[in-house]
Amino acid sequence: AQSVTQLGSHVSVSEGALVLLRCNYSSSVPPYLFWYVQYPNQGLQLLLKYTSAATLVKGINGFEAEFKKSETSFHLTKPSAHMSDAAEYFCAVRGRSGGSYIPTFGRGTSLIVHP
Amino acid sequence: DTEVTQTPKHLVMGMTNKKSLKCEQHMGHRAMYWYKQKAKKPPELMFVYSYEKLSINESVPSRFSPECPNSSLLNLHLHALQPEDSALYLCASSPRDSPQETQYFGPGTRLLVL
């Protein structure tokens, strides 16, 4: 079974500082990995995804993530945090279960941005 | 049209009521999903429909009954719910049920069961 682990339920940064949200995966096959963001009282929005085309993936809103097979990691970064980045971030992997591809989400990391 | 819509936005119901949640997409997606999300938790998958057929039921109680009348519409019928069923219910769709496809989420219906 595939799974992801998000390290840190909360990350606090100052506006303008580097954002680093950690995600490690467990998979016996090449994984498909996703980062989603959820703003309060909204659904999830895709930030970026890894589908084996390139190890450095650029997403929306200035976010990027690097797939590192040797470290089984897919950490999310942004060079300079904005107040508007404050939200819940979920890492996810899709694995086969029965006849379908089930996404498995990490527990989420709440990003807090201080002025 | 690149969005998933859900109605209603909010719903309050008693334990004896029957209500339905509605989800719609017009992106031509053939996979649709229902999730339940409690506060400060990740979404939990409930059901997966692929080409209008139910392909996954994640051991969801029978008081939740999904329906996919056509490729654009997904319903979740609710009956005799419990207070612990209060949550945000999210619908999502993707072009196909395949691992690299992006899921597009609706804004959710916030359900309160009294």
Side-chain angles (χ1 to χ4, degrees):
Chain A
Q2 297 181 313
S3 65
V4 289
T5 301
Q6 290 184 244
L7 300 175
S9 58
H10 294 85
V11 169
S12 182
V13 300
S14 298
E15 193 174 19
L18 172 72
V19 174
L20 171 60
L21 305 182
R22 299 177 188 273
C23 175
N24 288 91
Y25 70 89
S26 173
S27 176
S28 57
V29 297
Y32 294 97
L33 295 161
F34 303 78
W35 274 101
Y36 287 91
V37 61
Q38 186 175 31
Y39 299 101
N41 300 313
Q42 294 188 28
L44 279 68
Q45 180 183 10
L46 180 75
L47 282 174
L48 49 82
K49 64 180 180 181
Y50 170 74
T51 57
S52 76
T55 56
L56 182 62
V57 183
K58 294 189 185 298
I60 62 170
N61 302 340
F63 285 94
E64 63 181 39
E66 187 172 7
F67 175 75
K68 291 187 177 180
K69 185 177 179 181
S70 60
E71 299 176 9
T72 62
S73 69
F74 190 56
H75 301 331
L76 183 70
T77 61
K78 181 175 181 177
S80 176
H82 294 171
M83 296 295 291
S84 60
D85 293 327
E88 193 78 16
Y89 291 80
F90 293 99
C91 181
V93 63
R94 282 187 88 163
R96 192 168 183 89
S97 175
S100 188
Y101 287 95
I102 304 298
T104 302
F105 290 88
R107 65 176 181 172
T109 298
S110 180
L111 177 64
I112 302 160
V113 183
H114 298 285
Chain B
D1 189 353
T2 58
E3 65 174 350
V4 175
T5 60
Q6 290 187 245
T7 54
K9 288 191 183 343
H10 301 274
L11 180 61
V12 180
M13 60 187 290
M15 290 189 285
T16 59
N17 291 159
K18 285 186 181 181
K19 296 286 184 184
S20 296
L21 309 185
K22 179 181 172 181
C23 171
E24 204 160 5
Q25 57 86 16
H26 296 286
M27 296 179 279
H29 291 177
R30 305 310 299 272
M32 296 186 77
Y33 310 79
W34 278 116
Y35 288 88
K36 173 183 178 181
Q37 186 180 28
K38 292 282 212 179
K40 303 298 184 186
K41 297 290 187 183
E44 298 172 30
L45 184 67
M46 300 174 73
F47 302 104
V48 179
Y49 274 85
S50 180
Y51 290 88
E52 295 94 70
K53 292 191 188 309
L54 183 65
S55 61
I56 292 285
N57 176 341
E58 291 286 271
S59 303
V60 179
S62 59
R63 57 186 184 269
F64 295 91
S65 176
E67 179 196 19
C68 190
N70 59 59
S71 61
S72 301
L73 189 56
L74 186 65
N75 297 319
L76 186 63
H77 303 297
L78 314 173
H79 173 54
L81 294 193
Q82 303 298 309
E84 59 264 29
D85 297 322
S86 298
L88 181 68
Y89 287 84
L90 293 166
C91 174
S93 71
S94 63
R96 288 174 306 280
D97 181 19
S98 62
Q100 72 270 31
E101 297 285 6
T102 299
Q103 288 185 305
Y104 294 81
F105 284 81
T109 293
R110 190 162 297 282
L111 174 66
L112 177 61
V113 181
L114 300 176

